Every structure is written in C-alpha cells, then in structure tokens.
Amino acid sequence: MLHYKTAHELTAMLNNREISAEEMVASVIGRIDDVEDKIGAYITLSADRALEKARRIDSTPSGGGELPALAGIPMALKDNMCTENIRTTCASKILHSFVPPYNATVYNRLERAGCVLVGKTNMDEFAMGSSTENSGLKPTFNPWDTQRVPGGSSGGSAAAVASGMSVFALGSDTGGSIRQPAALCGVVGMKPTYGRVSRYGLVAFASSLDQIGPLTRDVEDCALVLNHICGYDRYDSTSVDKPAEDFTSGLRGGVRGLRVAVPSQYFGQGIEPGVRERVTGAIETLEGLGAVCSEVSLPHTEHALSAYYIISSAEASSNLARYDGIRYGYRAEGYSDLMDMFVKTRSQGFGAEVKRRIMLGTYALSSGYYDAYYKKAQKVRTLIKADFDRVFEEHDLIVSPTSPTVAFKVGEKLQDPLQMYLSDVFTIPVNIAGLPAISVPCGFSEGLPVGLQLIGKPFAEAALLQAAFAYEQSTEFHKMYPQV
Ligand code: GLN
C-alpha cells in the first residue's frame, strides 16, 4: 500500500531508486480515484500539474546535484492557503471562484523542498467550525466511519491524510482546527507556537490566533514538514526570527525525567469515558517510559471558550469586512444601489455560521459594549496565559485529551452551536496563550480514534516532538489505517 507510506519512508525509497516521484504521486492519485467519492476531502484537485512536476523531478539528470529534501512527496493544502492560479475558496460561496495571484509562503517553501501539491482540501467556511459541516461547498466524511464527521475546520486535510489521499497536509488552527480533526481521524496534527510559521497568504480568520501547521501520519513526518515551513518571513510581521532548527535530530531523545503536568480541569465533566481511559492509559505509558507526571491546576480554563468566541469573532468581523463584492469574490446580481449591493452580496455569499460570528464580533466591538466584552476577554486571555506560565515554571509539558469526544455523527451537533463550540474546550486555551501543541493517536474508543494532546512552552516544538515521538514509538496506533 504505497499510498499509506510516510514521507520519510518514501524519501528513503526515492533515494534508493526503489521508486520514482511519478509512482509516488500516481499512487496517491489512484487512491483519490478509489475513495474520494466516499470521503469528499478535496475541493479542487491538481492531479495533472502534480504528475507533471513529478516527471520533472524524475527527469533531473542523476549527478545533477542532490534532489530537494522532500522531492516528489504528495501533499494537500487546506483551501484557505493561497495558491497562484489554483482557486482558493475557503469553502465559501463568496470566494467560490477566487484565483489568487500569489502563493502563501508555506506553499512556496514546500514547493522549493520538492513537494507536489495534489489538491486543496475542504474545510468549515472561513475555518469556523469543528466538523467541516459548515463548508459552503460540500460535506467531508470520516474515513473510520463515513456516518461521522472528520472534525474541523481542517477536516478535509485530516481525512485526506487518514485515507491515503495525501501523504501529508497543511491545516490552520485558530482554536483547534488542526489538532481536533487530527484526533478524530487518527493522524498527527501540530499547531506550532504563534509566530513560528508565516501566515502570509493564509486567508485571515482571527489574526492573533491563526497558525498554520502539519497533519501527518507520524511524528517524524510532522518534524520534517515543520522543518520546511517554519522560519521568519518578511511578509508576515508576526513571524518570529529564530535560527533554523532541525526538528528531526532530537526525536530519539526519549522522555526519561521529563516533568509532565496533568491539569485536573481537562479531565472533568463532558469528557467521554472512553476518551478519558485512553488518555489516562497514555499518561501511564509516558510514566513507564520514565516521565514524571503530576497533577496541576489551570484555574482559568473554564473561561477560555467564552474569551475565545469574543476575541476570534471580533477579529473575524474586521477581517471579513473586505468581502464587499467590489474587489474580488462573489457579487450579488440585481441590486439597486451600493448599500443594497453590499447587503445582498454578503447575505448571499456567507453561510449561517460565518454570519453568526460577524454579528457576534461586531456587537462585541461596538462602542458601549467594547469594555464589557472585548476588553474583558483580553484580560481573561492574560490570566489564561499566566496559568500556563506558572505551570511551565516546574514542568516541561502538559498532557490532556485533544477532544472530549470521538468523531460524532453527521448532523448531530448542527442545530446546537454551543455543543459544537465545546468540541474545542481543550484546544482553545493553547491558541489563547500562543503555545505549541501536538495531537497524537492514543487508541480507540468504540472503534474510533482518540487523540492525546501534548502542550509545550513557547518555541519548544523540538521538546514536544521528542516526547510525542517517544510515546508514538511505544504504541502501534500510527500504523493502523481505516478500511474505507
Ligand atoms: N472550532 C473553532 C471555531 O469554530 C476553531 C476553529 C479553528 O481553529 N479554525 O472557531
């Protein structure tokens, strides 16, 4: 099953001349032909371009210098990352036929590393949601059970990796949108520290929280991809200038003596018993490997969700003001004057959840309410960050479930936005504090994957990956694939 190989395995095979780039790409495209009908992970495919690039890689004369590090590796991008000449929809009617004139920095970097884009993946409209059901274009189904959601908002990316329709994918994570779908689809997903990866060319949702990161089949691939996407970018003023690191070099360092914090607030009400058991089991495994685990308190956790929905909606209401039917994107027909055109374009172009966020955010920012909502949420943000700082004075990392539940049924939470929002209770505090975190598979409950979240200190991705790798290598979960 070539389409289930990891990037590091494929790279080794390519370098040994056991396989060509074209064969790698063709195997993934063949898989897409076989199962995409059942999963619906992609909005746009770029199969022809992909094969062409693969052939170009193969025809590089031997002795013509070394191949780039990830030569020929098939990848997918969430459809909120700009790709020159390939449409980028954010799964929204308002950007339905938008073709960007430039590439996101992450795409340029991966292209340069030799990766081959096979397609753009489905998502919740403008990344607002936890199930990919808010996509304005189509649903995506979970490869482990097609009656269930893949999580969201990077549900297409997670489902594509889990079902062998891409070797890895990029997602974006504002409140959990990489880690939660990774958990629900049984793959690895990482949100790097805020500022670690350039957001240039990522369509903005909530700019102080958004971060791009990898979804992969194992931890080593996650480290490999991170190597190539991180680093300073003068086009993103929030990207941080740190010396380049090789995140793969320290993977095998183990967890002996690592001080691991287990926050009591992340194991309380609302968590499914099966999820709690798997995560508790994972903590025991870490202890067995030599980690020292102890219970801690993050007392402001309970306010994270409310603060997040004020801050993220406020930023979204401002970011989404640009979709006015004038410069690009959809424009309604049959309007009487400019105001009527704005109203009709935005009413028709945005879906229900996006409108809900715009209204929430506009309200929270309006004069008279600003102090009561936005300013207060920012103060809560500071308290949540301080909770983490305090725990990290005496601990190296924090463990928790990624999501309180396994993948839920399609339609189950659609009528109740609050239930949907609760899907991210354990991931949102991490974005609020700007920290790095990773979700790794830690077993199954009712036949569905469960994710373990590891949270690190700012810019401590290397330590996080090292711990995640030690855990993963002592389990078999990353070698299990769904029967699609
Ligand atoms: N589910 C959360 C939301 O709807 C997080 C989304 C995200 O991380 N993009 O806002």
Side-chain angles (χ1 to χ4, degrees), residues 4 31 35-36 39-42 121-122 132 140-144 149-151 154-166 169 181-182 184-187 215 217 482 484:
Y4 270 132
R31 180 67 174 171
V35 301
E36 169 64 357
I39 305 296
Y42 286 99
T121 56
N122 198 20
T132 313
T140 297
F141 302 104
N142 192 309
W144 293 89
V149 302
S154 311
S157 287
V161 174
S163 60
M165 293 196 286
S166 184
L184 270 45
C185 288
V187 298
L215 290 115
R217 269 190 215 118
V484 185

PDB file of all heavy atoms in Angstrom, residues 4 31 35-36 39-42 121-122 132 140-144 149-151 154-166 169 181-182 184-187 215 217 482 484:
ATOM      1  N   TYR A   4      -0.089   4.543   1.728  1.00  0.00           N
ATOM      2  CA  TYR A   4      -0.056   4.725   3.187  1.00  0.00           C
ATOM      3  C   TYR A   4       1.358   4.886   3.733  1.00  0.00           C
ATOM      4  O   TYR A   4       1.568   4.907   4.937  1.00  0.00           O
ATOM      5  CB  TYR A   4      -0.773   3.565   3.895  1.00  0.00           C
ATOM      6  CG  TYR A   4      -2.252   3.841   4.107  1.00  0.00           C
ATOM      7  CD1 TYR A   4      -3.226   2.915   3.774  1.00  0.00           C
ATOM      8  CD2 TYR A   4      -2.672   5.067   4.653  1.00  0.00           C
ATOM      9  CE1 TYR A   4      -4.572   3.186   3.966  1.00  0.00           C
ATOM     10  CE2 TYR A   4      -4.010   5.346   4.843  1.00  0.00           C
ATOM     11  CZ  TYR A   4      -4.954   4.404   4.499  1.00  0.00           C
ATOM     12  OH  TYR A   4      -6.281   4.687   4.696  1.00  0.00           O
ATOM     13  N   ARG A  31      -5.441   6.441  -5.415  1.00  0.00           N
ATOM     14  CA  ARG A  31      -6.216   6.313  -4.187  1.00  0.00           C
ATOM     15  C   ARG A  31      -7.378   7.325  -4.180  1.00  0.00           C
ATOM     16  O   ARG A  31      -8.481   6.999  -3.758  1.00  0.00           O
ATOM     17  CB  ARG A  31      -5.278   6.537  -2.988  1.00  0.00           C
ATOM     18  CG  ARG A  31      -5.927   6.434  -1.650  1.00  0.00           C
ATOM     19  CD  ARG A  31      -6.383   5.021  -1.343  1.00  0.00           C
ATOM     20  NE  ARG A  31      -6.873   4.936   0.023  1.00  0.00           N
ATOM     21  CZ  ARG A  31      -7.502   3.879   0.531  1.00  0.00           C
ATOM     22  NH1 ARG A  31      -7.708   2.808  -0.219  1.00  0.00           N
ATOM     23  NH2 ARG A  31      -7.907   3.885   1.776  1.00  0.00           N
ATOM     24  N   VAL A  35     -11.300   6.367  -3.510  1.00  0.00           N
ATOM     25  CA  VAL A  35     -12.083   6.605  -2.285  1.00  0.00           C
ATOM     26  C   VAL A  35     -12.638   8.026  -2.106  1.00  0.00           C
ATOM     27  O   VAL A  35     -13.460   8.255  -1.218  1.00  0.00           O
ATOM     28  CB  VAL A  35     -11.304   6.199  -0.998  1.00  0.00           C
ATOM     29  CG1 VAL A  35     -10.930   4.736  -1.045  1.00  0.00           C
ATOM     30  CG2 VAL A  35     -10.078   7.065  -0.779  1.00  0.00           C
ATOM     31  N   GLU A  36     -12.214   8.970  -2.932  1.00  0.00           N
ATOM     32  CA  GLU A  36     -12.665  10.349  -2.729  1.00  0.00           C
ATOM     33  C   GLU A  36     -14.198  10.483  -2.790  1.00  0.00           C
ATOM     34  O   GLU A  36     -14.798  11.268  -2.047  1.00  0.00           O
ATOM     35  CB  GLU A  36     -11.979  11.287  -3.733  1.00  0.00           C
ATOM     36  CG  GLU A  36     -12.528  12.703  -3.837  1.00  0.00           C
ATOM     37  CD  GLU A  36     -12.386  13.569  -2.567  1.00  0.00           C
ATOM     38  OE1 GLU A  36     -11.911  13.079  -1.537  1.00  0.00           O
ATOM     39  OE2 GLU A  36     -12.811  14.738  -2.613  1.00  0.00           O
ATOM     40  N   ILE A  39     -15.376   9.987   0.689  1.00  0.00           N
ATOM     41  CA  ILE A  39     -14.843  10.865   1.743  1.00  0.00           C
ATOM     42  C   ILE A  39     -15.110  12.353   1.462  1.00  0.00           C
ATOM     43  O   ILE A  39     -15.482  13.107   2.360  1.00  0.00           O
ATOM     44  CB  ILE A  39     -13.307  10.643   1.922  1.00  0.00           C
ATOM     45  CG1 ILE A  39     -13.004   9.166   2.182  1.00  0.00           C
ATOM     46  CG2 ILE A  39     -12.759  11.528   3.039  1.00  0.00           C
ATOM     47  CD1 ILE A  39     -13.570   8.604   3.477  1.00  0.00           C
ATOM     48  N   GLY A  40     -14.882  12.788   0.259  1.00  0.00           N
ATOM     49  CA  GLY A  40     -15.105  14.205  -0.059  1.00  0.00           C
ATOM     50  C   GLY A  40     -14.116  15.138   0.607  1.00  0.00           C
ATOM     51  O   GLY A  40     -14.471  16.195   1.121  1.00  0.00           O
ATOM     52  N   ALA A  41     -12.832  14.756   0.598  1.00  0.00           N
ATOM     53  CA  ALA A  41     -11.815  15.568   1.276  1.00  0.00           C
ATOM     54  C   ALA A  41     -11.399  16.798   0.473  1.00  0.00           C
ATOM     55  O   ALA A  41     -10.942  17.790   1.036  1.00  0.00           O
ATOM     56  CB  ALA A  41     -10.583  14.710   1.576  1.00  0.00           C
ATOM     57  N   TYR A  42     -11.538  16.720  -0.842  1.00  0.00           N
ATOM     58  CA  TYR A  42     -10.972  17.782  -1.693  1.00  0.00           C
ATOM     59  C   TYR A  42     -12.031  18.713  -2.293  1.00  0.00           C
ATOM     60  O   TYR A  42     -13.114  18.281  -2.672  1.00  0.00           O
ATOM     61  CB  TYR A  42     -10.179  17.156  -2.848  1.00  0.00           C
ATOM     62  CG  TYR A  42      -8.854  16.582  -2.412  1.00  0.00           C
ATOM     63  CD1 TYR A  42      -8.720  15.220  -2.169  1.00  0.00           C
ATOM     64  CD2 TYR A  42      -7.759  17.407  -2.240  1.00  0.00           C
ATOM     65  CE1 TYR A  42      -7.501  14.686  -1.761  1.00  0.00           C
ATOM     66  CE2 TYR A  42      -6.530  16.887  -1.831  1.00  0.00           C
ATOM     67  CZ  TYR A  42      -6.407  15.529  -1.598  1.00  0.00           C
ATOM     68  OH  TYR A  42      -5.205  15.015  -1.183  1.00  0.00           O
ATOM     69  N   THR A 121      -7.973  21.216   0.137  1.00  0.00           N
ATOM     70  CA  THR A 121      -8.914  20.407   0.911  1.00  0.00           C
ATOM     71  C   THR A 121     -10.090  21.198   1.481  1.00  0.00           C
ATOM     72  O   THR A 121     -10.002  22.400   1.746  1.00  0.00           O
ATOM     73  CB  THR A 121      -8.189  19.694   2.063  1.00  0.00           C
ATOM     74  OG1 THR A 121      -7.533  20.671   2.863  1.00  0.00           O
ATOM     75  CG2 THR A 121      -7.182  18.689   1.541  1.00  0.00           C
ATOM     76  N   ASN A 122     -11.148  20.450   1.709  1.00  0.00           N
ATOM     77  CA  ASN A 122     -12.393  21.015   2.246  1.00  0.00           C
ATOM     78  C   ASN A 122     -12.211  21.443   3.703  1.00  0.00           C
ATOM     79  O   ASN A 122     -11.319  20.953   4.423  1.00  0.00           O
ATOM     80  CB  ASN A 122     -13.504  19.965   2.145  1.00  0.00           C
ATOM     81  CG  ASN A 122     -14.882  20.593   2.257  1.00  0.00           C
ATOM     82  OD1 ASN A 122     -15.077  21.802   2.046  1.00  0.00           O
ATOM     83  ND2 ASN A 122     -15.876  19.777   2.598  1.00  0.00           N
ATOM     84  N   THR A 132     -16.418  20.390   9.745  1.00  0.00           N
ATOM     85  CA  THR A 132     -16.399  20.574   8.290  1.00  0.00           C
ATOM     86  C   THR A 132     -17.813  20.601   7.699  1.00  0.00           C
ATOM     87  O   THR A 132     -17.984  20.740   6.499  1.00  0.00           O
ATOM     88  CB  THR A 132     -15.472  19.542   7.591  1.00  0.00           C
ATOM     89  OG1 THR A 132     -14.219  19.497   8.313  1.00  0.00           O
ATOM     90  CG2 THR A 132     -15.112  19.908   6.170  1.00  0.00           C
ATOM     91  N   THR A 140     -17.548  16.592   4.259  1.00  0.00           N
ATOM     92  CA  THR A 140     -16.463  15.599   4.231  1.00  0.00           C
ATOM     93  C   THR A 140     -16.808  14.556   5.290  1.00  0.00           C
ATOM     94  O   THR A 140     -17.370  14.901   6.332  1.00  0.00           O
ATOM     95  CB  THR A 140     -15.109  16.268   4.575  1.00  0.00           C
ATOM     96  OG1 THR A 140     -14.810  17.229   3.564  1.00  0.00           O
ATOM     97  CG2 THR A 140     -13.971  15.255   4.649  1.00  0.00           C
ATOM     98  N   PHE A 141     -16.474  13.294   5.020  1.00  0.00           N
ATOM     99  CA  PHE A 141     -16.832  12.225   5.955  1.00  0.00           C
ATOM    100  C   PHE A 141     -15.574  11.597   6.558  1.00  0.00           C
ATOM    101  O   PHE A 141     -14.512  11.589   5.949  1.00  0.00           O
ATOM    102  CB  PHE A 141     -17.684  11.176   5.244  1.00  0.00           C
ATOM    103  CG  PHE A 141     -18.939  11.774   4.654  1.00  0.00           C
ATOM    104  CD1 PHE A 141     -19.041  12.006   3.285  1.00  0.00           C
ATOM    105  CD2 PHE A 141     -19.987  12.164   5.477  1.00  0.00           C
ATOM    106  CE1 PHE A 141     -20.182  12.599   2.744  1.00  0.00           C
ATOM    107  CE2 PHE A 141     -21.138  12.760   4.948  1.00  0.00           C
ATOM    108  CZ  PHE A 141     -21.229  12.976   3.577  1.00  0.00           C
ATOM    109  N   ASN A 142     -15.756  11.061   7.760  1.00  0.00           N
ATOM    110  CA  ASN A 142     -14.628  10.469   8.481  1.00  0.00           C
ATOM    111  C   ASN A 142     -14.259   9.107   7.877  1.00  0.00           C
ATOM    112  O   ASN A 142     -15.116   8.232   7.770  1.00  0.00           O
ATOM    113  CB  ASN A 142     -15.005  10.313   9.966  1.00  0.00           C
ATOM    114  CG  ASN A 142     -13.803   9.984  10.824  1.00  0.00           C
ATOM    115  OD1 ASN A 142     -13.045   9.062  10.543  1.00  0.00           O
ATOM    116  ND2 ASN A 142     -13.620  10.759  11.882  1.00  0.00           N
ATOM    117  N   PRO A 143     -12.994   8.910   7.498  1.00  0.00           N
ATOM    118  CA  PRO A 143     -12.584   7.643   6.882  1.00  0.00           C
ATOM    119  C   PRO A 143     -12.810   6.419   7.785  1.00  0.00           C
ATOM    120  O   PRO A 143     -12.935   5.301   7.281  1.00  0.00           O
ATOM    121  CB  PRO A 143     -11.088   7.822   6.619  1.00  0.00           C
ATOM    122  CG  PRO A 143     -10.865   9.293   6.611  1.00  0.00           C
ATOM    123  CD  PRO A 143     -11.893   9.886   7.531  1.00  0.00           C
ATOM    124  N   TRP A 144     -12.893   6.605   9.103  1.00  0.00           N
ATOM    125  CA  TRP A 144     -13.103   5.473  10.014  1.00  0.00           C
ATOM    126  C   TRP A 144     -14.563   5.085  10.083  1.00  0.00           C
ATOM    127  O   TRP A 144     -14.895   3.973  10.497  1.00  0.00           O
ATOM    128  CB  TRP A 144     -12.584   5.810  11.412  1.00  0.00           C
ATOM    129  CG  TRP A 144     -11.094   5.950  11.438  1.00  0.00           C
ATOM    130  CD1 TRP A 144     -10.389   7.100  11.217  1.00  0.00           C
ATOM    131  CD2 TRP A 144     -10.138   4.923  11.661  1.00  0.00           C
ATOM    132  NE1 TRP A 144      -9.046   6.834  11.293  1.00  0.00           N
ATOM    133  CE2 TRP A 144      -8.859   5.513  11.578  1.00  0.00           C
ATOM    134  CE3 TRP A 144     -10.232   3.555  11.929  1.00  0.00           C
ATOM    135  CZ2 TRP A 144      -7.685   4.792  11.743  1.00  0.00           C
ATOM    136  CZ3 TRP A 144      -9.057   2.833  12.113  1.00  0.00           C
ATOM    137  CH2 TRP A 144      -7.802   3.448  12.015  1.00  0.00           C
ATOM    138  N   VAL A 149     -18.434  12.757  11.250  1.00  0.00           N
ATOM    139  CA  VAL A 149     -17.671  13.913  10.763  1.00  0.00           C
ATOM    140  C   VAL A 149     -16.170  13.656  10.943  1.00  0.00           C
ATOM    141  O   VAL A 149     -15.769  12.876  11.813  1.00  0.00           O
ATOM    142  CB  VAL A 149     -18.067  15.205  11.511  1.00  0.00           C
ATOM    143  CG1 VAL A 149     -19.560  15.482  11.368  1.00  0.00           C
ATOM    144  CG2 VAL A 149     -17.678  15.132  12.989  1.00  0.00           C
ATOM    145  N   PRO A 150     -15.338  14.341  10.151  1.00  0.00           N
ATOM    146  CA  PRO A 150     -13.891  14.214  10.308  1.00  0.00           C
ATOM    147  C   PRO A 150     -13.334  15.195  11.329  1.00  0.00           C
ATOM    148  O   PRO A 150     -12.118  15.257  11.536  1.00  0.00           O
ATOM    149  CB  PRO A 150     -13.374  14.569   8.909  1.00  0.00           C
ATOM    150  CG  PRO A 150     -14.370  15.572   8.402  1.00  0.00           C
ATOM    151  CD  PRO A 150     -15.709  15.167   8.978  1.00  0.00           C
ATOM    152  N   GLY A 151     -14.202  15.992  11.964  1.00  0.00           N
ATOM    153  CA  GLY A 151     -13.730  17.109  12.772  1.00  0.00           C
ATOM    154  C   GLY A 151     -13.507  18.314  11.873  1.00  0.00           C
ATOM    155  O   GLY A 151     -13.727  18.259  10.660  1.00  0.00           O
ATOM    156  N   SER A 154     -10.128  21.878   9.729  1.00  0.00           N
ATOM    157  CA  SER A 154      -9.273  21.287   8.686  1.00  0.00           C
ATOM    158  C   SER A 154      -9.677  19.839   8.421  1.00  0.00           C
ATOM    159  O   SER A 154      -8.814  18.953   8.278  1.00  0.00           O
ATOM    160  CB  SER A 154      -7.793  21.355   9.100  1.00  0.00           C
ATOM    161  OG  SER A 154      -7.440  22.646   9.538  1.00  0.00           O
ATOM    162  N   GLY A 155     -10.975  19.569   8.329  1.00  0.00           N
ATOM    163  CA  GLY A 155     -11.470  18.196   8.192  1.00  0.00           C
ATOM    164  C   GLY A 155     -11.042  17.536   6.897  1.00  0.00           C
ATOM    165  O   GLY A 155     -10.762  16.331   6.867  1.00  0.00           O
ATOM    166  N   GLY A 156     -10.986  18.301   5.814  1.00  0.00           N
ATOM    167  CA  GLY A 156     -10.560  17.733   4.533  1.00  0.00           C
ATOM    168  C   GLY A 156      -9.106  17.292   4.596  1.00  0.00           C
ATOM    169  O   GLY A 156      -8.747  16.210   4.102  1.00  0.00           O
ATOM    170  N   SER A 157      -8.265  18.104   5.212  1.00  0.00           N
ATOM    171  CA  SER A 157      -6.838  17.770   5.325  1.00  0.00           C
ATOM    172  C   SER A 157      -6.646  16.503   6.155  1.00  0.00           C
ATOM    173  O   SER A 157      -5.886  15.600   5.777  1.00  0.00           O
ATOM    174  CB  SER A 157      -6.053  18.927   5.974  1.00  0.00           C
ATOM    175  OG  SER A 157      -5.914  20.008   5.073  1.00  0.00           O
ATOM    176  N   ALA A 158      -7.346  16.414   7.295  1.00  0.00           N
ATOM    177  CA  ALA A 158      -7.210  15.247   8.170  1.00  0.00           C
ATOM    178  C   ALA A 158      -7.729  13.989   7.478  1.00  0.00           C
ATOM    179  O   ALA A 158      -7.085  12.934   7.519  1.00  0.00           O
ATOM    180  CB  ALA A 158      -7.956  15.480   9.486  1.00  0.00           C
ATOM    181  N   ALA A 159      -8.878  14.105   6.823  1.00  0.00           N
ATOM    182  CA  ALA A 159      -9.477  12.939   6.160  1.00  0.00           C
ATOM    183  C   ALA A 159      -8.611  12.480   4.992  1.00  0.00           C
ATOM    184  O   ALA A 159      -8.469  11.275   4.748  1.00  0.00           O
ATOM    185  CB  ALA A 159     -10.891  13.274   5.684  1.00  0.00           C
ATOM    186  N   ALA A 160      -8.004  13.426   4.280  1.00  0.00           N
ATOM    187  CA  ALA A 160      -7.152  13.065   3.143  1.00  0.00           C
ATOM    188  C   ALA A 160      -5.937  12.263   3.631  1.00  0.00           C
ATOM    189  O   ALA A 160      -5.597  11.227   3.048  1.00  0.00           O
ATOM    190  CB  ALA A 160      -6.690  14.313   2.397  1.00  0.00           C
ATOM    191  N   VAL A 161      -5.302  12.717   4.708  1.00  0.00           N
ATOM    192  CA  VAL A 161      -4.119  12.018   5.223  1.00  0.00           C
ATOM    193  C   VAL A 161      -4.523  10.648   5.784  1.00  0.00           C
ATOM    194  O   VAL A 161      -3.875   9.630   5.524  1.00  0.00           O
ATOM    195  CB  VAL A 161      -3.398  12.875   6.296  1.00  0.00           C
ATOM    196  CG1 VAL A 161      -2.248  12.108   6.938  1.00  0.00           C
ATOM    197  CG2 VAL A 161      -2.885  14.174   5.670  1.00  0.00           C
ATOM    198  N   ALA A 162      -5.633  10.618   6.522  1.00  0.00           N
ATOM    199  CA  ALA A 162      -6.060   9.364   7.155  1.00  0.00           C
ATOM    200  C   ALA A 162      -6.460   8.307   6.130  1.00  0.00           C
ATOM    201  O   ALA A 162      -6.337   7.120   6.401  1.00  0.00           O
ATOM    202  CB  ALA A 162      -7.226   9.631   8.108  1.00  0.00           C
ATOM    203  N   SER A 163      -6.944   8.731   4.967  1.00  0.00           N
ATOM    204  CA  SER A 163      -7.448   7.753   3.995  1.00  0.00           C
ATOM    205  C   SER A 163      -6.453   7.470   2.877  1.00  0.00           C
ATOM    206  O   SER A 163      -6.793   6.804   1.904  1.00  0.00           O
ATOM    207  CB  SER A 163      -8.774   8.250   3.408  1.00  0.00           C
ATOM    208  OG  SER A 163      -8.580   9.490   2.759  1.00  0.00           O
ATOM    209  N   GLY A 164      -5.231   7.996   2.993  1.00  0.00           N
ATOM    210  CA  GLY A 164      -4.213   7.703   1.975  1.00  0.00           C
ATOM    211  C   GLY A 164      -4.346   8.550   0.716  1.00  0.00           C
ATOM    212  O   GLY A 164      -3.747   8.239  -0.309  1.00  0.00           O
ATOM    213  N   MET A 165      -5.121   9.641   0.809  1.00  0.00           N
ATOM    214  CA  MET A 165      -5.278  10.504  -0.370  1.00  0.00           C
ATOM    215  C   MET A 165      -4.272  11.650  -0.397  1.00  0.00           C
ATOM    216  O   MET A 165      -4.317  12.493  -1.292  1.00  0.00           O
ATOM    217  CB  MET A 165      -6.708  11.042  -0.453  1.00  0.00           C
ATOM    218  CG  MET A 165      -7.735   9.953  -0.735  1.00  0.00           C
ATOM    219  SD  MET A 165      -9.275  10.643  -1.278  1.00  0.00           S
ATOM    220  CE  MET A 165      -9.899  11.301   0.256  1.00  0.00           C
ATOM    221  N   SER A 166      -3.402  11.688   0.589  1.00  0.00           N
ATOM    222  CA  SER A 166      -2.245  12.587   0.565  1.00  0.00           C
ATOM    223  C   SER A 166      -1.274  12.052   1.611  1.00  0.00           C
ATOM    224  O   SER A 166      -1.698  11.450   2.595  1.00  0.00           O
ATOM    225  CB  SER A 166      -2.648  14.020   0.899  1.00  0.00           C
ATOM    226  OG  SER A 166      -1.526  14.872   0.777  1.00  0.00           O
ATOM    227  N   ALA A 169      -0.645  16.917   4.907  1.00  0.00           N
ATOM    228  CA  ALA A 169      -1.411  18.098   4.506  1.00  0.00           C
ATOM    229  C   ALA A 169      -1.093  19.218   5.475  1.00  0.00           C
ATOM    230  O   ALA A 169      -0.605  18.987   6.585  1.00  0.00           O
ATOM    231  CB  ALA A 169      -2.906  17.776   4.524  1.00  0.00           C
ATOM    232  N   PRO A 181      -9.401  17.760  14.301  1.00  0.00           N
ATOM    233  CA  PRO A 181      -9.615  16.799  13.210  1.00  0.00           C
ATOM    234  C   PRO A 181      -8.528  15.717  13.153  1.00  0.00           C
ATOM    235  O   PRO A 181      -8.825  14.578  12.781  1.00  0.00           O
ATOM    236  CB  PRO A 181      -9.618  17.670  11.948  1.00  0.00           C
ATOM    237  CG  PRO A 181      -9.065  18.989  12.338  1.00  0.00           C
ATOM    238  CD  PRO A 181      -9.287  19.143  13.808  1.00  0.00           C
ATOM    239  N   ALA A 182      -7.293  16.057  13.529  1.00  0.00           N
ATOM    240  CA  ALA A 182      -6.238  15.030  13.581  1.00  0.00           C
ATOM    241  C   ALA A 182      -6.654  13.942  14.565  1.00  0.00           C
ATOM    242  O   ALA A 182      -6.565  12.748  14.272  1.00  0.00           O
ATOM    243  CB  ALA A 182      -4.901  15.640  13.985  1.00  0.00           C
ATOM    244  N   LEU A 184      -9.709  13.176  15.622  1.00  0.00           N
ATOM    245  CA  LEU A 184     -10.908  12.454  15.186  1.00  0.00           C
ATOM    246  C   LEU A 184     -10.646  11.542  13.988  1.00  0.00           C
ATOM    247  O   LEU A 184     -11.409  10.623  13.717  1.00  0.00           O
ATOM    248  CB  LEU A 184     -12.039  13.455  14.864  1.00  0.00           C
ATOM    249  CG  LEU A 184     -12.972  13.828  16.035  1.00  0.00           C
ATOM    250  CD1 LEU A 184     -12.248  14.130  17.315  1.00  0.00           C
ATOM    251  CD2 LEU A 184     -13.927  14.942  15.659  1.00  0.00           C
ATOM    252  N   CYS A 185      -9.564  11.818  13.236  1.00  0.00           N
ATOM    253  CA  CYS A 185      -9.241  10.977  12.085  1.00  0.00           C
ATOM    254  C   CYS A 185      -8.047  10.059  12.349  1.00  0.00           C
ATOM    255  O   CYS A 185      -7.600   9.343  11.452  1.00  0.00           O
ATOM    256  CB  CYS A 185      -8.955  11.845  10.855  1.00  0.00           C
ATOM    257  SG  CYS A 185     -10.432  12.620  10.170  1.00  0.00           S
ATOM    258  N   GLY A 186      -7.468  10.109  13.547  1.00  0.00           N
ATOM    259  CA  GLY A 186      -6.374   9.187  13.881  1.00  0.00           C
ATOM    260  C   GLY A 186      -5.052   9.510  13.217  1.00  0.00           C
ATOM    261  O   GLY A 186      -4.293   8.610  12.874  1.00  0.00           O
ATOM    262  N   VAL A 187      -4.760  10.807  13.028  1.00  0.00           N
ATOM    263  CA  VAL A 187      -3.452  11.192  12.490  1.00  0.00           C
ATOM    264  C   VAL A 187      -2.771  12.168  13.456  1.00  0.00           C
ATOM    265  O   VAL A 187      -3.356  12.557  14.468  1.00  0.00           O
ATOM    266  CB  VAL A 187      -3.557  11.807  11.068  1.00  0.00           C
ATOM    267  CG1 VAL A 187      -4.124  10.790  10.088  1.00  0.00           C
ATOM    268  CG2 VAL A 187      -4.405  13.079  11.066  1.00  0.00           C
ATOM    269  N   LEU A 215      -0.432  18.170   9.225  1.00  0.00           N
ATOM    270  CA  LEU A 215      -1.172  16.948   9.574  1.00  0.00           C
ATOM    271  C   LEU A 215      -0.453  15.816   8.852  1.00  0.00           C
ATOM    272  O   LEU A 215      -0.293  15.871   7.626  1.00  0.00           O
ATOM    273  CB  LEU A 215      -2.625  17.033   9.114  1.00  0.00           C
ATOM    274  CG  LEU A 215      -3.481  18.040   9.886  1.00  0.00           C
ATOM    275  CD1 LEU A 215      -3.931  19.162   9.000  1.00  0.00           C
ATOM    276  CD2 LEU A 215      -4.666  17.353  10.543  1.00  0.00           C
ATOM    277  N   ARG A 217       1.144  11.367   9.065  1.00  0.00           N
ATOM    278  CA  ARG A 217       0.834  10.017   9.539  1.00  0.00           C
ATOM    279  C   ARG A 217       1.667   9.608  10.729  1.00  0.00           C
ATOM    280  O   ARG A 217       1.330   8.673  11.427  1.00  0.00           O
ATOM    281  CB  ARG A 217       1.043   9.019   8.406  1.00  0.00           C
ATOM    282  CG  ARG A 217      -0.234   8.860   7.687  1.00  0.00           C
ATOM    283  CD  ARG A 217      -0.218   7.744   6.712  1.00  0.00           C
ATOM    284  NE  ARG A 217      -1.035   8.245   5.648  1.00  0.00           N
ATOM    285  CZ  ARG A 217      -0.632   8.458   4.425  1.00  0.00           C
ATOM    286  NH1 ARG A 217       0.571   8.132   4.056  1.00  0.00           N
ATOM    287  NH2 ARG A 217      -1.454   8.976   3.559  1.00  0.00           N
ATOM    288  N   PRO A 482      -7.768   3.104   8.392  1.00  0.00           N
ATOM    289  CA  PRO A 482      -9.192   2.793   8.255  1.00  0.00           C
ATOM    290  C   PRO A 482      -9.478   1.985   6.986  1.00  0.00           C
ATOM    291  O   PRO A 482      -8.756   2.104   6.004  1.00  0.00           O
ATOM    292  CB  PRO A 482      -9.831   4.175   8.155  1.00  0.00           C
ATOM    293  CG  PRO A 482      -8.757   5.071   7.614  1.00  0.00           C
ATOM    294  CD  PRO A 482      -7.470   4.525   8.127  1.00  0.00           C
ATOM    295  N   VAL A 484     -11.609   2.059   4.143  1.00  0.00           N
ATOM    296  CA  VAL A 484     -12.586   2.964   3.527  1.00  0.00           C
ATOM    297  C   VAL A 484     -13.436   2.173   2.536  1.00  0.00           C
ATOM    298  O   VAL A 484     -12.905   1.564   1.629  1.00  0.00           O
ATOM    299  CB  VAL A 484     -11.908   4.148   2.808  1.00  0.00           C
ATOM    300  CG1 VAL A 484     -12.956   5.107   2.300  1.00  0.00           C
ATOM    301  CG2 VAL A 484     -10.946   4.842   3.754  1.00  0.00           C
TER     302      VAL A 484
END
